[in-house]
Amino acid sequence: MKNNAIKCSYEDYDFYTIPISLKTVLQRQKKPYIYSQLEKLHPCFNDDCSFDSHLHLEKSGIKANVVVMQKLKLAEYKSNNKHLYIEEQKHHQVFAGRQKITVIAATSLLLLIIAVAAKQIFSSPDTFEAEQDAAEVPEPQTALSATTMNFCFPDFLQRVCELGGIIKTLNWNYDGYNEKFSVNVNGIYPEQLEDFSKSIKVSSVVFDSFLPVMTVNFTEHNVQSPGTFTNYNSYKNDFRKLIEKSEVQLIEETVKPYGVNFSVKENQQQELATLLEYLNANNFSFSSIIINSSGQSVNVELVFSEVKFEGQAFIMQTLINNLKLFFHAQDKTQTIQTTKTTALVKVGQIIKPDGSVSIFYKDENGKIIKR
C-alpha cells in the first residue's frame, strides 16, 4: 500500500461480488447491469450513492467486485488527496478517477484471458453515480468562494419575499453534488416564477381563502469540492445554552450526523434569528434545512455536514434576512357571526410585506368592511 494511501473504514462503504456475463460486458451494459443489481442488493440505493467496480475472472465466470459509498462520505475522503483502498481489495485502488480504458481494449483483454484460461486479474475502474451519464468523481480542487458557488436557494427566497408570498413548508438539502428543495408557497402564481430557473417544477394551484397555494420543486446538479472538516463538539453546549436562554423549545438532537430540531413561537422571530446568526458566525455547514410554519409556531430542523461547503454562509444569511416569510398570523375563519341574524362574509385578504394581514368582509347590505 502506498505511503499516501488510506484504507476506508468498514462503516463507510459496502462491498459486493456480482456475477456478470461476457455478453453484458461486450455490449457495454456492465454499468447499467451493476446499477440494476445494486438496486436489489443495497438498501436505499439512490442518487446519493456512488459505486466503483473492478472485473476479474474466476473458474465460475466473470465477477465484478463492487464498492458502494455515500457521495458525501466519498467527498470527505477525496478532499484529503489520498489513494483509497478497502480491506477486501488491498491491491486495487478504489474510486481512482482514472481514464476509462476503451471498449476495444477491454474486449481484447477479456478475450485473451478467456483464451488462455488464466486467472490474471484485470481492472476497469468505473464510477457510476446515479445519473446515467456516469460522471467521474471530481478530483479535489481549491475550495470555491461564495461568489462562484451558484446555490439557487437564496435567490428563490429573495424572489418569494419580493413577490409578497409566504412559505408554509420548506425542505432544502445539499450533498456536495445536488442541490434540492421543495417549498409550499402561498400568495404567488406559477407565471411569476417562469423566468427564475428551468430547473423549477411547479404543482397545480389550489386556493385557500382566495389565496393561490402551490408546491415548488427544484433539483440541480451542483458539484463542489468540500473545504475543511468542521468540529461542532466545542460549540454544542454553548448552542444549547443559547436555546435555553432564548426560551425556545428544543425537541431533538441527532448524533451522527449532528442535527437539531427546535420550535419557536409566532412572536419569537428575533430569537430564531439570534440562533441562526450564532450558527453562521461559527461556520456551521449543513446538509439539510426543514422549516414548517403552522401559524402558531415555526418548527426548524437542521442537519449539519461534517465538511465545510463554501457559499452556505450566504444561504444562512439570506434565510435570516427573510424569516418573515415563515411568520404569519393564523388564518381567520371566512365567516364572522356578529349576531344570530347578521353575518359578515369574508371576501378576501391582503398580506403585507411585514407579515400582517388585512381581511375584508361584506355585510348583509353589500358594504365592504376592513378588519
Side-chain angles (χ1 to χ4, degrees):
M1 190 176 292
K2 299 179 180 180
N3 292 332
N4 63 339
I6 184 172
K7 187 172 71 173
C8 302
S9 170
Y10 283 114
E11 298 177 353
D12 295 336
Y13 71 91
D14 291 278
F15 180 80
Y16 303 94
T17 299
I18 300 175
I20 188 169
S21 68
L22 175 61
K23 180 180 179 181
T24 299
V25 175
L26 294 179
Q27 293 184 353
R28 305 174 67 178
Q29 296 296 315
K30 184 184 68 170
K31 289 177 290 187
Y33 174 76
I34 294 175
Y35 183 83
S36 66
Q37 295 303 304
L38 288 175
E39 286 184 312
K40 303 173 186 177
L41 296 171
H42 188 73
C44 302
F45 187 74
N46 56 28
D47 288 359
D48 297 330
C49 299
S50 293
F51 77 75
D52 189 58
S53 65
H54 292 268
L55 295 180
H56 68 281
L57 186 66
E58 297 181 358
K59 289 183 179 180
S60 57
I62 306 170
K63 301 293 178 65
N65 287 337
V66 183
V67 185
V68 182
M69 188 180 294
Q70 290 289 319
K71 289 179 179 178
L72 183 58
K73 181 58 64 177
L74 177 59
E76 293 176 18
Y77 277 112
K78 299 290 280 187
S79 67
N80 291 321
N81 292 297
K82 298 289 187 179
H83 296 290
L84 305 184
Y85 293 85
I86 60 173
E87 180 65 30
E88 292 85 351
Q89 291 183 282
K90 296 180 180 179
H91 304 292
H92 287 280
Q93 185 179 347
V94 296
F95 297 106
R98 297 191 296 266
Q99 286 284 349
K100 300 186 182 81
I101 61 176
T102 64
V103 175
I104 295 176
T107 303
S108 300
L109 182 58
L110 181 60
L111 291 175
L112 177 61
I113 292 174
I114 294 175
V116 299
K119 294 182 180 179
Q120 298 173 345
I121 298 175
F122 72 104
S123 62
S124 176
D126 294 292
T127 300
F128 185 84
E129 298 168 358
E131 294 80 15
Q132 291 296 322
D133 58 1
E136 294 288 348
V137 176
E139 293 296 331
Q141 301 173 356
T142 303
L144 300 177
S145 67
T147 56
T148 60
M149 209 45 233
N150 188 28
F151 283 117
C152 181
F153 185 54
D155 294 334
F156 179 79
L157 286 179
Q158 192 65 40
R159 172 66 70 88
V160 174
C161 187
E162 291 172 355
L163 293 173
I166 59 177
I167 295 177
K168 290 293 185 71
T169 63
L170 177 149
N171 190 332
W172 176 92
N173 65 78
Y174 181 65
D175 60 3
Y177 293 84
N178 298 289
E179 181 189 10
K180 302 178 181 178
F181 60 76
S182 178
V183 185
N184 182 266
V185 186
N186 293 24
I188 62 177
Y189 292 93
E191 58 267 25
Q192 294 175 285
L193 298 174
E194 282 182 350
D195 63 335
F196 182 74
S197 171
K198 294 181 179 179
S199 299
I200 287 286
K201 294 183 179 179
V202 181
S203 71
S204 58
V205 179
V206 297
F207 290 87
D208 180 15
S209 301
F210 302 97
L211 282 178
V213 180
M214 63 183 181
T215 300
V216 178
N217 292 291
F218 174 90
T219 300
E220 191 166 85
H221 195 55
N222 194 357
V223 179
Q224 179 185 174
S225 296
T228 58
F229 284 85
T230 307
N231 182 9
Y232 301 129
N233 291 328
S234 58
Y235 298 104
K236 288 180 181 178
N237 193 45
D238 289 341
F239 186 54
R240 293 189 191 105
K241 291 180 179 179
L242 184 61
I243 290 178
E244 182 179 355
K245 180 180 178 181
S246 302
E247 298 183 349
V248 169
Q249 182 182 0
L250 181 60
I251 299 174
E252 182 182 13
E253 282 191 13
T254 56
V255 178
K256 191 174 182 179
Y258 173 52
V260 291
N261 186 345
F262 54 89
S263 178
V264 298
K265 297 177 182 178
E266 177 68 25
N267 61 350
Q268 291 183 310
Q269 180 175 334
Q270 183 55 51
E271 284 80 354
L272 176 56
T274 300
L275 294 176
L276 297 182
E277 286 169 353
Y278 174 87
L279 297 176
N280 216 24
N282 290 284
N283 297 316
F284 278 62
S285 188
F286 40 91
S287 60
S288 176
I289 302 173
I290 300 175
I291 302 178
N292 291 292
S293 174
S294 66
Q296 296 287 349
S297 63
V298 177
N299 190 82
V300 180
E301 183 177 348
L302 302 172
V303 178
F304 301 98
S305 172
E306 294 179 356
V307 293
K308 179 67 177 178
F309 288 108
E310 296 298 330
Q312 291 200 353
F314 182 61
I315 291 180
M316 184 61 78
Q317 190 58 55
T318 304
L319 182 61
I320 294 169
N321 294 341
N322 293 281
L323 283 179
K324 61 184 179 182
L325 289 170
F326 307 94
F327 288 82
H328 39 82
Q330 188 178 25
D331 292 338
K332 299 180 180 179
T333 56
Q334 290 188 0
T335 304
I336 298 179
Q337 297 290 338
T338 56
T339 65
K340 290 185 178 181
T341 58
T342 304
L344 298 179
V345 180
K346 181 179 177 180
V347 295
Q349 66 181 24
I350 296 176
I351 300 178
K352 300 178 182 178
D354 62 359
S356 62
V357 180
S358 296
I359 303 179
F360 297 86
Y361 299 91
K362 182 168 64 175
D363 63 15
E364 58 184 2
N365 298 320
K367 182 179 179 181
I368 302 298
I369 300 174
K370 175 183 176 182
R371 292 195 175 184

